[in-house]
Amino acid sequence: METPAPENVVLVGFMGSGKSSIGRLAAKALGYQFVDTDQLIVERSGRQISEIFAEDGEEVFRELETAVIRSLVHLNRSVISTGGGAVIRAVNREMLRHAGFVVCLTANEDVIFERVSRNTKRPLLQCDNPRAVISQLLVSRREAYEAAAHCTIDTSLLSQGDAVEVLIAAISAHFEWNPSN
Ligand code: S3P
């Protein structure tokens, strides 16, 4: 008999697409545990993400990110929110798809810029022209998001509540339909 698919929901997507806030609300609505890979990196390393980038550089952060994702593949009934760059590595994409139903949250560039401008915690955007960096990263990462995700939800025009409803509808459709469930 085939092993049932793990009942996790994995959220991938660009910074500011709403992964953490929508993921937390969806987990509550589903009665699932909420797990945030960035939060786990901070807890396990004892450092803020900006400190890891500043002290050790992006590659060390990516290693920590992969290690955290690897440690989550056994989870069940969890909503796992990932950092915006988690999809860059093929090994991460593979593990995330193995962990569950992967939903990519998207938003258009204007909305992303508006949302990320509200906080200064993202090291990749602490530069002279964050808008240009967002533009470049959106283009260079598009294929990786597409390769990682089973489905995509554009949150540009959705309130958080509406986005949660759309997400839960997609999850229900997936798990009811999934023949290995
Ligand atoms: C990153 C996104 C961040 C965090 C780190 C790197 C990225 O997470 O993992 O700053 O490469 O896009 P959020 O998407 O939650 O902001």
Side-chain angles (χ1 to χ4, degrees):
M1 206 173 77
E2 229 179 285
T3 319
E7 287 185 19
N8 297 307
V9 177
V10 178
L11 297 181
V12 300
F14 203 78
M15 297 175 266
S17 60
K19 301 174 300 276
S20 301
S21 48
I22 293 166
R24 191 169 282 113
L25 291 171
K28 206 171 174 195
L30 291 164
Y32 276 24
Q33 173 186 208
F34 177 71
V35 179
D36 187 309
T37 59
D38 281 343
Q39 191 54 43
L40 286 177
I41 292 168
V42 170
E43 281 168 23
R44 292 181 189 178
S45 69
R47 290 187 291 173
Q48 295 302 312
I49 288 170
S50 53
E51 291 173 323
I52 302 171
F53 269 74
E55 290 164 11
D56 292 336
E58 181 170 352
E59 266 316 291
V60 167
F61 172 77
R62 297 296 170 206
E63 286 301 324
L64 295 170
E65 187 170 53
T66 296
V68 162
I69 292 170
R70 184 167 288 118
S71 74
L72 299 180
V73 291
H74 67 280
L75 286 181
N76 224 331
R77 295 177 64 81
S78 301
V79 175
I80 302 167
S81 169
T82 61
V87 296
I88 299 171
R89 290 185 169 191
V91 64
N92 293 354
R93 296 199 294 271
E94 202 179 309
M95 290 191 286
L96 293 172
R97 285 178 71 92
H98 180 72
F101 179 50
V102 184
V103 180
C104 180
L105 300 184
T106 64
N108 69 48
E109 196 179 309
D110 289 340
V111 169
I112 284 173
F113 184 64
E114 207 268 316
R115 289 181 188 162
V116 300
S117 299
R118 292 183 209 144
N119 100 36
T120 54
K121 284 189 177 162
R122 294 181 172 97
L124 291 177
L125 303 180
Q126 300 315 300
C127 56
D128 291 342
N129 193 349
R131 176 86 195 210
V133 173
I134 290 170
S135 249
Q136 282 162 15
L137 288 176
L138 278 170
V139 171
S140 65
R141 290 179 177 178
R142 183 178 303 138
E143 282 180 16
Y145 289 124
E146 280 169 10
H150 293 106
C151 92
T152 297
I153 297 172
D154 186 346
T155 67
S156 306
L157 300 175
L158 299 177
S159 66
Q160 280 190 357
D162 287 347
V164 173
E165 275 185 28
V166 174
L167 175 60
I168 289 178
I171 294 164
S172 310
H174 172 80
F175 284 121
E176 273 159 29
W177 167 84
N178 193 327
S180 61
N181 191 21

